[in-house]
Amino acid sequence: MSRGLSSSVKTESATGNISRVLLVYIGFATPQYLTNASFELVSSVSGSSQTYTASGHLKNITGVNEANAPTKNSLSISLSAVDQTYVSVVLNENVINSDVKIWRGYLDSSNALISDPYLLYYGTIDEYRIVDSTDTANLVLNVTSHWGQFDKTSGRATTDNSQQRFFSGDKGMEFAALTVRDLRWGRADA
């Protein structure tokens, strides 16, 4: 798929009055549409017309890289956790493997979204963490491209919680979190 700029973007960029914006879709149970613009934007890049909210909750996106080979690309999306909206979502829903799409859009001189934003990144939530300090609170979503699925090892985790879920009362994994070494099970082939 070609990602060349549309003719309308090229025409507007010739004027010198063009601004870049991001349109972010996060596939929670109630999907979230966010933008880094200072005002709400309406776009139909996700299939139907959606309003992308400029609430200030979208703080930062880091690690957007492109390569010409199939590699595992990852990025981090930092959301404000001050009002607990997104923290509640990630703690009460299973958000791992939820889709995340990021489009690059352009605004013309009158701050209208120029048609045809292009898909900059598509991936799934790999993990999340809540980062608190005395000044601020952030929810950081680590997002991995679909190539990251090839690196994952399927199966159960070697944690006490996983063991208790399937074998209540079993103490076999009680101290598994205390060791950080890679344990080799079975024959020791050198």
Side-chain angles (χ1 to χ4, degrees):
M1 176 173 98
S2 174
R3 279 211 342 212
L5 296 176
S6 68
S7 60
S8 55
V9 171
K10 289 178 185 177
T11 302
E12 192 64 33
S13 65
T15 67
N17 294 325
I18 192 167
S19 301
R20 299 182 308 168
V21 293
L22 295 175
L23 305 173
V24 179
Y25 162 81
I26 304 174
F28 294 152
T30 302
Q32 298 297 308
Y33 299 91
L34 304 170
T35 182
N36 65 340
S38 59
F39 49 90
E40 292 185 347
L41 295 170
V42 177
S43 178
S44 59
V45 294
S46 58
S48 61
S49 184
Q50 294 293 333
T51 300
Y52 288 81
T53 306
S55 62
H57 290 293
L58 180 62
K59 297 188 75 169
N60 194 11
I61 298 177
T62 59
V64 179
N65 296 320
E66 289 187 306
N68 59 0
T71 60
K72 175 184 171 182
N73 289 331
S74 298
L75 61 83
S76 294
I77 300 174
S78 181
L79 303 171
S80 174
V82 172
D83 74 354
Q84 302 291 306
T85 302
Y86 298 115
V87 173
S88 176
V89 170
V90 299
L91 293 178
N92 294 314
E93 296 178 10
N94 183 13
V95 299
I96 303 300
N97 292 326
S98 295
D99 287 342
V100 173
K101 295 178 184 177
I102 302 172
W103 288 273
R104 166 72 70 203
Y106 296 93
L107 301 176
D108 62 15
S109 57
S110 60
N111 285 335
L113 187 64
I114 300 171
S115 63
D116 301 327
Y118 64 87
L119 186 62
L120 182 64
Y121 190 86
Y122 173 59
T124 56
I125 297 173
D126 190 34
E127 63 181 358
Y128 64 88
R129 66 183 184 282
I130 301 166
V131 181
D132 278 334
S133 71
T134 56
D135 298 334
T136 186
N138 293 319
L139 170 67
V140 180
L141 303 174
N142 290 329
V143 183
T144 304
S145 67
H146 69 281
W147 294 109
Q149 299 295 329
F150 293 111
D151 290 344
K152 282 191 174 179
T153 303
S154 297
R156 290 189 23 229
T158 54
T159 63
D160 189 46
N161 287 342
S162 177
Q163 188 71 1
Q164 295 305 315
R165 183 173 169 199
F166 293 99
F167 304 102
S168 181
D170 187 358
K171 301 288 186 185
M173 294 290 174
E174 184 176 8
F175 300 105
L178 298 179
T179 182
V180 292
R181 293 183 302 158
D182 185 19
L183 299 177
R184 302 286 182 195
W185 298 93
R187 289 183 25 202
D189 294 331

mmCIF file of all heavy atoms in Angstrom, residues 6 8-9 12 18-23 35-37 39-46 49-52 103-118:
data_model
loop_
_atom_site.group_PDB
_atom_site.id
_atom_site.type_symbol
_atom_site.label_atom_id
_atom_site.label_comp_id
_atom_site.label_asym_id
_atom_site.label_seq_id
_atom_site.Cartn_x
_atom_site.Cartn_y
_atom_site.Cartn_z
ATOM 1 N N SER A 6 -1.444 12.674 -0.128
ATOM 2 C CA SER A 6 -2.540 12.952 -1.048
ATOM 3 C C SER A 6 -2.307 14.303 -1.720
ATOM 4 O O SER A 6 -1.548 15.141 -1.225
ATOM 5 C CB SER A 6 -3.874 12.937 -0.310
ATOM 6 O OG SER A 6 -3.953 14.023 0.588
ATOM 7 N N SER A 8 -4.305 16.795 -1.882
ATOM 8 C CA SER A 8 -4.764 17.900 -1.039
ATOM 9 C C SER A 8 -3.719 18.280 0.008
ATOM 10 O O SER A 8 -3.552 19.453 0.335
ATOM 11 C CB SER A 8 -6.098 17.563 -0.381
ATOM 12 O OG SER A 8 -6.019 16.346 0.330
ATOM 13 N N VAL A 9 -2.980 17.292 0.547
ATOM 14 C CA VAL A 9 -1.913 17.584 1.509
ATOM 15 C C VAL A 9 -0.768 18.292 0.799
ATOM 16 O O VAL A 9 -0.210 19.270 1.315
ATOM 17 C CB VAL A 9 -1.424 16.291 2.198
ATOM 18 C CG1 VAL A 9 -0.179 16.563 3.035
ATOM 19 C CG2 VAL A 9 -2.509 15.697 3.068
ATOM 20 N N GLU A 12 -1.750 21.947 0.138
ATOM 21 C CA GLU A 12 -1.744 22.771 1.349
ATOM 22 C C GLU A 12 -0.327 22.968 1.883
ATOM 23 O O GLU A 12 -0.005 24.027 2.417
ATOM 24 C CB GLU A 12 -2.628 22.134 2.423
ATOM 25 C CG GLU A 12 -2.933 23.023 3.591
ATOM 26 C CD GLU A 12 -3.750 24.253 3.223
ATOM 27 O OE1 GLU A 12 -4.578 24.181 2.305
ATOM 28 O OE2 GLU A 12 -3.538 25.306 3.870
ATOM 29 N N ILE A 18 0.787 24.492 7.353
ATOM 30 C CA ILE A 18 0.270 23.146 7.578
ATOM 31 C C ILE A 18 0.798 22.643 8.916
ATOM 32 O O ILE A 18 1.929 22.930 9.294
ATOM 33 C CB ILE A 18 0.665 22.207 6.410
ATOM 34 C CG1 ILE A 18 -0.091 20.890 6.470
ATOM 35 C CG2 ILE A 18 2.165 22.002 6.345
ATOM 36 C CD1 ILE A 18 0.019 20.066 5.211
ATOM 37 N N SER A 19 -0.044 21.951 9.648
ATOM 38 C CA SER A 19 0.332 21.410 10.955
ATOM 39 C C SER A 19 0.058 19.921 10.984
ATOM 40 O O SER A 19 -0.920 19.447 10.392
ATOM 41 C CB SER A 19 -0.481 22.082 12.070
ATOM 42 O OG SER A 19 -0.283 23.467 12.067
ATOM 43 N N ARG A 20 0.889 19.190 11.710
ATOM 44 C CA ARG A 20 0.709 17.747 11.845
ATOM 45 C C ARG A 20 -0.052 17.428 13.124
ATOM 46 O O ARG A 20 0.147 18.090 14.143
ATOM 47 C CB ARG A 20 2.055 17.035 11.883
ATOM 48 C CG ARG A 20 2.876 17.237 10.645
ATOM 49 C CD ARG A 20 4.173 16.494 10.695
ATOM 50 N NE ARG A 20 4.906 16.790 11.922
ATOM 51 C CZ ARG A 20 5.964 16.114 12.343
ATOM 52 N NH1 ARG A 20 6.413 15.098 11.652
ATOM 53 N NH2 ARG A 20 6.572 16.436 13.456
ATOM 54 N N VAL A 21 -0.904 16.412 13.071
ATOM 55 C CA VAL A 21 -1.620 15.930 14.251
ATOM 56 C C VAL A 21 -1.636 14.413 14.225
ATOM 57 O O VAL A 21 -1.447 13.794 13.177
ATOM 58 C CB VAL A 21 -3.076 16.464 14.327
ATOM 59 C CG1 VAL A 21 -3.107 17.946 14.551
ATOM 60 C CG2 VAL A 21 -3.872 16.073 13.109
ATOM 61 N N LEU A 22 -1.868 13.820 15.383
ATOM 62 C CA LEU A 22 -2.029 12.376 15.493
ATOM 63 C C LEU A 22 -3.470 12.067 15.862
ATOM 64 O O LEU A 22 -4.075 12.760 16.674
ATOM 65 C CB LEU A 22 -1.097 11.815 16.566
ATOM 66 C CG LEU A 22 0.397 11.927 16.304
ATOM 67 C CD1 LEU A 22 1.186 11.437 17.512
ATOM 68 C CD2 LEU A 22 0.783 11.150 15.067
ATOM 69 N N LEU A 23 -4.012 11.029 15.271
ATOM 70 C CA LEU A 23 -5.322 10.500 15.619
ATOM 71 C C LEU A 23 -5.076 9.102 16.171
ATOM 72 O O LEU A 23 -4.538 8.248 15.472
ATOM 73 C CB LEU A 23 -6.227 10.442 14.394
ATOM 74 C CG LEU A 23 -6.417 11.762 13.635
ATOM 75 C CD1 LEU A 23 -7.195 11.522 12.348
ATOM 76 C CD2 LEU A 23 -7.121 12.767 14.500
ATOM 77 N N THR A 35 -6.653 12.702 20.267
ATOM 78 C CA THR A 35 -5.785 13.450 19.376
ATOM 79 C C THR A 35 -4.858 14.321 20.204
ATOM 80 O O THR A 35 -5.182 14.692 21.334
ATOM 81 C CB THR A 35 -6.575 14.316 18.377
ATOM 82 O OG1 THR A 35 -5.654 14.981 17.500
ATOM 83 C CG2 THR A 35 -7.435 15.343 19.068
ATOM 84 N N ASN A 36 -3.720 14.651 19.615
ATOM 85 C CA ASN A 36 -2.797 15.566 20.285
ATOM 86 C C ASN A 36 -3.038 17.012 19.866
ATOM 87 O O ASN A 36 -2.319 17.909 20.275
ATOM 88 C CB ASN A 36 -1.344 15.168 20.018
ATOM 89 C CG ASN A 36 -0.962 15.298 18.560
ATOM 90 O OD1 ASN A 36 -1.809 15.329 17.664
ATOM 91 N ND2 ASN A 36 0.328 15.344 18.301
ATOM 92 N N ALA A 37 -4.071 17.243 19.059
ATOM 93 C CA ALA A 37 -4.447 18.613 18.702
ATOM 94 C C ALA A 37 -5.051 19.294 19.934
ATOM 95 O O ALA A 37 -5.455 18.630 20.889
ATOM 96 C CB ALA A 37 -5.462 18.607 17.556
ATOM 97 N N PHE A 39 -7.820 20.840 19.995
ATOM 98 C CA PHE A 39 -9.266 20.886 19.828
ATOM 99 C C PHE A 39 -9.709 19.557 19.229
ATOM 100 O O PHE A 39 -8.910 18.807 18.687
ATOM 101 C CB PHE A 39 -9.678 22.057 18.919
ATOM 102 C CG PHE A 39 -8.884 22.123 17.642
ATOM 103 C CD1 PHE A 39 -9.306 21.448 16.502
ATOM 104 C CD2 PHE A 39 -7.706 22.841 17.597
ATOM 105 C CE1 PHE A 39 -8.561 21.491 15.347
ATOM 106 C CE2 PHE A 39 -6.956 22.897 16.443
ATOM 107 C CZ PHE A 39 -7.382 22.228 15.309
ATOM 108 N N GLU A 40 -11.011 19.247 19.362
ATOM 109 C CA GLU A 40 -11.531 17.982 18.854
ATOM 110 C C GLU A 40 -11.512 17.961 17.337
ATOM 111 O O GLU A 40 -11.708 18.984 16.681
ATOM 112 C CB GLU A 40 -12.947 17.752 19.369
ATOM 113 C CG GLU A 40 -12.988 17.506 20.855
ATOM 114 C CD GLU A 40 -14.384 17.160 21.358
ATOM 115 O OE1 GLU A 40 -15.358 17.338 20.614
ATOM 116 O OE2 GLU A 40 -14.460 16.707 22.499
ATOM 117 N N LEU A 41 -11.267 16.766 16.779
ATOM 118 C CA LEU A 41 -11.250 16.577 15.338
ATOM 119 C C LEU A 41 -12.216 15.468 14.979
ATOM 120 O O LEU A 41 -12.391 14.508 15.730
ATOM 121 C CB LEU A 41 -9.846 16.197 14.858
ATOM 122 C CG LEU A 41 -8.770 17.253 15.033
ATOM 123 C CD1 LEU A 41 -7.405 16.669 14.741
ATOM 124 C CD2 LEU A 41 -9.040 18.430 14.114
ATOM 125 N N VAL A 42 -12.837 15.572 13.830
ATOM 126 C CA VAL A 42 -13.735 14.530 13.333
ATOM 127 C C VAL A 42 -13.107 13.940 12.085
ATOM 128 O O VAL A 42 -12.701 14.665 11.179
ATOM 129 C CB VAL A 42 -15.140 15.092 13.025
ATOM 130 C CG1 VAL A 42 -16.027 14.012 12.442
ATOM 131 C CG2 VAL A 42 -15.765 15.681 14.276
ATOM 132 N N SER A 43 -13.013 12.614 12.050
ATOM 133 C CA SER A 43 -12.424 11.939 10.897
ATOM 134 C C SER A 43 -13.088 10.586 10.723
ATOM 135 O O SER A 43 -13.611 9.998 11.662
ATOM 136 C CB SER A 43 -10.923 11.753 11.084
ATOM 137 O OG SER A 43 -10.378 11.071 9.982
ATOM 138 N N SER A 44 -13.043 10.069 9.517
ATOM 139 C CA SER A 44 -13.612 8.757 9.225
ATOM 140 C C SER A 44 -12.522 7.764 8.836
ATOM 141 O O SER A 44 -12.788 6.806 8.138
ATOM 142 C CB SER A 44 -14.659 8.863 8.120
ATOM 143 O OG SER A 44 -14.078 9.396 6.955
ATOM 144 N N VAL A 45 -11.288 7.964 9.297
ATOM 145 C CA VAL A 45 -10.201 7.058 8.941
ATOM 146 C C VAL A 45 -10.404 5.659 9.496
ATOM 147 O O VAL A 45 -9.900 4.697 8.945
ATOM 148 C CB VAL A 45 -8.818 7.600 9.378
ATOM 149 C CG1 VAL A 45 -8.451 8.837 8.620
ATOM 150 C CG2 VAL A 45 -8.770 7.830 10.872
ATOM 151 N N SER A 46 -11.145 5.526 10.575
ATOM 152 C CA SER A 46 -11.362 4.214 11.181
ATOM 153 C C SER A 46 -12.590 3.517 10.615
ATOM 154 O O SER A 46 -13.021 2.511 11.148
ATOM 155 C CB SER A 46 -11.485 4.352 12.696
ATOM 156 O OG SER A 46 -12.542 5.223 13.021
ATOM 157 N N SER A 49 -17.392 7.901 10.816
ATOM 158 C CA SER A 49 -17.027 9.211 11.338
ATOM 159 C C SER A 49 -16.921 9.169 12.858
ATOM 160 O O SER A 49 -17.863 8.774 13.543
ATOM 161 C CB SER A 49 -18.067 10.239 10.899
ATOM 162 O OG SER A 49 -17.684 11.510 11.325
ATOM 163 N N GLN A 50 -15.756 9.528 13.382
ATOM 164 C CA GLN A 50 -15.508 9.527 14.824
ATOM 165 C C GLN A 50 -14.959 10.876 15.245
ATOM 166 O O GLN A 50 -14.245 11.530 14.490
ATOM 167 C CB GLN A 50 -14.486 8.448 15.201
ATOM 168 C CG GLN A 50 -14.944 7.039 14.974
ATOM 169 C CD GLN A 50 -16.086 6.645 15.891
ATOM 170 O OE1 GLN A 50 -16.232 7.172 16.992
ATOM 171 N NE2 GLN A 50 -16.910 5.735 15.442
ATOM 172 N N THR A 51 -15.276 11.246 16.476
ATOM 173 C CA THR A 51 -14.717 12.455 17.055
ATOM 174 C C THR A 51 -13.512 12.067 17.900
ATOM 175 O O THR A 51 -13.616 11.244 18.805
ATOM 176 C CB THR A 51 -15.756 13.175 17.931
ATOM 177 O OG1 THR A 51 -16.871 13.525 17.126
ATOM 178 C CG2 THR A 51 -15.166 14.420 18.556
ATOM 179 N N TYR A 52 -12.363 12.632 17.575
ATOM 180 C CA TYR A 52 -11.132 12.392 18.316
ATOM 181 C C TYR A 52 -11.000 13.495 19.360
ATOM 182 O O TYR A 52 -10.927 14.668 19.032
ATOM 183 C CB TYR A 52 -9.937 12.364 17.359
ATOM 184 C CG TYR A 52 -9.936 11.118 16.517
ATOM 185 C CD1 TYR A 52 -10.729 11.031 15.383
ATOM 186 C CD2 TYR A 52 -9.181 10.011 16.870
ATOM 187 C CE1 TYR A 52 -10.760 9.875 14.619
ATOM 188 C CE2 TYR A 52 -9.202 8.855 16.116
ATOM 189 C CZ TYR A 52 -9.994 8.796 14.988
ATOM 190 O OH TYR A 52 -10.031 7.651 14.244
ATOM 191 N N TRP A 103 -2.933 7.332 13.352
ATOM 192 C CA TRP A 103 -2.922 7.952 12.029
ATOM 193 C C TRP A 103 -2.208 9.291 12.112
ATOM 194 O O TRP A 103 -2.309 9.994 13.114
ATOM 195 C CB TRP A 103 -4.341 8.195 11.511
ATOM 196 C CG TRP A 103 -5.062 6.965 11.103
ATOM 197 C CD1 TRP A 103 -5.041 6.354 9.880
ATOM 198 C CD2 TRP A 103 -5.945 6.184 11.910
ATOM 199 N NE1 TRP A 103 -5.850 5.250 9.891
ATOM 200 C CE2 TRP A 103 -6.409 5.122 11.116
ATOM 201 C CE3 TRP A 103 -6.383 6.289 13.233
ATOM 202 C CZ2 TRP A 103 -7.297 4.174 11.596
ATOM 203 C CZ3 TRP A 103 -7.252 5.346 13.713
ATOM 204 C CH2 TRP A 103 -7.701 4.301 12.891
ATOM 205 N N ARG A 104 -1.512 9.658 11.055
ATOM 206 C CA ARG A 104 -0.918 10.985 10.912
ATOM 207 C C ARG A 104 -1.860 11.795 10.040
ATOM 208 O O ARG A 104 -2.214 11.391 8.942
ATOM 209 C CB ARG A 104 0.449 10.890 10.260
ATOM 210 C CG ARG A 104 1.020 12.206 9.766
ATOM 211 C CD ARG A 104 1.481 13.128 10.852
ATOM 212 N NE ARG A 104 2.669 12.582 11.468
ATOM 213 C CZ ARG A 104 3.070 12.884 12.700
ATOM 214 N NH1 ARG A 104 2.373 13.726 13.427
ATOM 215 N NH2 ARG A 104 4.134 12.350 13.210
ATOM 216 N N GLY A 105 -2.293 12.918 10.561
ATOM 217 C CA GLY A 105 -3.152 13.818 9.810
ATOM 218 C C GLY A 105 -2.512 15.184 9.699
ATOM 219 O O GLY A 105 -1.540 15.492 10.399
ATOM 220 N N TYR A 106 -3.064 15.988 8.828
ATOM 221 C CA TYR A 106 -2.550 17.343 8.621
ATOM 222 C C TYR A 106 -3.698 18.332 8.692
ATOM 223 O O TYR A 106 -4.809 18.042 8.226
ATOM 224 C CB TYR A 106 -1.839 17.457 7.264
ATOM 225 C CG TYR A 106 -0.610 16.590 7.192
ATOM 226 C CD1 TYR A 106 -0.671 15.308 6.675
ATOM 227 C CD2 TYR A 106 0.612 17.057 7.671
ATOM 228 C CE1 TYR A 106 0.461 14.512 6.627
ATOM 229 C CE2 TYR A 106 1.749 16.269 7.616
ATOM 230 C CZ TYR A 106 1.664 14.993 7.096
ATOM 231 O OH TYR A 106 2.779 14.202 7.053
ATOM 232 N N LEU A 107 -3.420 19.495 9.268
ATOM 233 C CA LEU A 107 -4.407 20.564 9.370
ATOM 234 C C LEU A 107 -4.034 21.669 8.395
ATOM 235 O O LEU A 107 -2.855 22.012 8.253
ATOM 236 C CB LEU A 107 -4.436 21.140 10.789
ATOM 237 C CG LEU A 107 -4.763 20.171 11.922
ATOM 238 C CD1 LEU A 107 -4.642 20.883 13.262
ATOM 239 C CD2 LEU A 107 -6.128 19.568 11.744
ATOM 240 N N ASP A 108 -5.051 22.225 7.748
ATOM 241 C CA ASP A 108 -4.782 23.341 6.834
ATOM 242 C C ASP A 108 -4.708 24.648 7.621
ATOM 243 O O ASP A 108 -4.761 24.654 8.858
ATOM 244 C CB ASP A 108 -5.825 23.396 5.715
ATOM 245 C CG ASP A 108 -7.234 23.642 6.219
ATOM 246 O OD1 ASP A 108 -7.407 24.057 7.382
ATOM 247 O OD2 ASP A 108 -8.179 23.422 5.444
ATOM 248 N N SER A 109 -4.605 25.776 6.916
ATOM 249 C CA SER A 109 -4.429 27.075 7.572
ATOM 250 C C SER A 109 -5.627 27.477 8.427
ATOM 251 O O SER A 109 -5.506 28.289 9.337
ATOM 252 C CB SER A 109 -4.142 28.154 6.524
ATOM 253 O OG SER A 109 -5.191 28.197 5.578
ATOM 254 N N SER A 110 -6.809 26.911 8.164
ATOM 255 C CA SER A 110 -7.983 27.217 8.984
ATOM 256 C C SER A 110 -8.242 26.132 10.040
ATOM 257 O O SER A 110 -9.331 26.024 10.574
ATOM 258 C CB SER A 110 -9.211 27.408 8.100
ATOM 259 O OG SER A 110 -9.472 26.231 7.373
ATOM 260 N N ASN A 111 -7.226 25.311 10.327
ATOM 261 C CA ASN A 111 -7.289 24.230 11.317
ATOM 262 C C ASN A 111 -8.334 23.167 11.015
ATOM 263 O O ASN A 111 -8.883 22.551 11.916
ATOM 264 C CB ASN A 111 -7.487 24.780 12.728
ATOM 265 C CG ASN A 111 -6.222 25.388 13.272
ATOM 266 O OD1 ASN A 111 -5.121 25.022 12.859
ATOM 267 N ND2 ASN A 111 -6.365 26.322 14.180
ATOM 268 N N ALA A 112 -8.612 22.946 9.753
ATOM 269 C CA ALA A 112 -9.490 21.854 9.336
ATOM 270 C C ALA A 112 -8.622 20.660 8.950
ATOM 271 O O ALA A 112 -7.546 20.823 8.367
ATOM 272 C CB ALA A 112 -10.354 22.282 8.158
ATOM 273 N N LEU A 113 -9.086 19.469 9.294
ATOM 274 C CA LEU A 113 -8.341 18.255 8.973
ATOM 275 C C LEU A 113 -8.403 18.003 7.473
ATOM 276 O O LEU A 113 -9.478 17.901 6.887
ATOM 277 C CB LEU A 113 -8.917 17.068 9.746
ATOM 278 C CG LEU A 113 -8.164 15.755 9.655
ATOM 279 C CD1 LEU A 113 -6.767 15.883 10.274
ATOM 280 C CD2 LEU A 113 -8.943 14.657 10.378
ATOM 281 N N ILE A 114 -7.249 17.905 6.850
ATOM 282 C CA ILE A 114 -7.182 17.609 5.421
ATOM 283 C C ILE A 114 -7.508 16.127 5.242
ATOM 284 O O ILE A 114 -7.097 15.281 6.037
ATOM 285 C CB ILE A 114 -5.779 17.926 4.863
ATOM 286 C CG1 ILE A 114 -5.466 19.409 5.077
ATOM 287 C CG2 ILE A 114 -5.680 17.570 3.394
ATOM 288 C CD1 ILE A 114 -4.034 19.781 4.752
ATOM 289 N N SER A 115 -8.243 15.811 4.206
ATOM 290 C CA SER A 115 -8.681 14.426 3.997
ATOM 291 C C SER A 115 -7.494 13.479 3.848
ATOM 292 O O SER A 115 -6.382 13.884 3.532
ATOM 293 C CB SER A 115 -9.570 14.346 2.765
ATOM 294 O OG SER A 115 -8.833 14.722 1.623
ATOM 295 N N ASP A 116 -7.767 12.238 4.083
ATOM 296 C CA ASP A 116 -6.830 11.126 3.900
ATOM 297 C C ASP A 116 -5.637 11.105 4.850
ATOM 298 O O ASP A 116 -4.489 11.053 4.413
ATOM 299 C CB ASP A 116 -6.318 11.081 2.454
ATOM 300 C CG ASP A 116 -7.435 10.927 1.451
ATOM 301 O OD1 ASP A 116 -8.435 10.265 1.796
ATOM 302 O OD2 ASP A 116 -7.315 11.467 0.349
ATOM 303 N N PRO A 117 -5.861 11.125 6.179
ATOM 304 C CA PRO A 117 -4.740 10.836 7.076
ATOM 305 C C PRO A 117 -4.247 9.410 6.789
ATOM 306 O O PRO A 117 -5.017 8.554 6.364
ATOM 307 C CB PRO A 117 -5.356 10.925 8.467
ATOM 308 C CG PRO A 117 -6.576 11.749 8.304
ATOM 309 C CD PRO A 117 -7.077 11.445 6.929
ATOM 310 N N TYR A 118 -2.971 9.154 6.985
ATOM 311 C CA TYR A 118 -2.467 7.813 6.695
ATOM 312 C C TYR A 118 -2.143 7.075 7.986
ATOM 313 O O TYR A 118 -1.849 7.669 9.010
ATOM 314 C CB TYR A 118 -1.255 7.856 5.756
ATOM 315 C CG TYR A 118 -0.036 8.548 6.301
ATOM 316 C CD1 TYR A 118 0.896 7.859 7.054
ATOM 317 C CD2 TYR A 118 0.198 9.887 6.042
ATOM 318 C CE1 TYR A 118 2.019 8.478 7.546
ATOM 319 C CE2 TYR A 118 1.328 10.519 6.530
ATOM 320 C CZ TYR A 118 2.234 9.808 7.279
ATOM 321 O OH TYR A 118 3.342 10.431 7.768
#
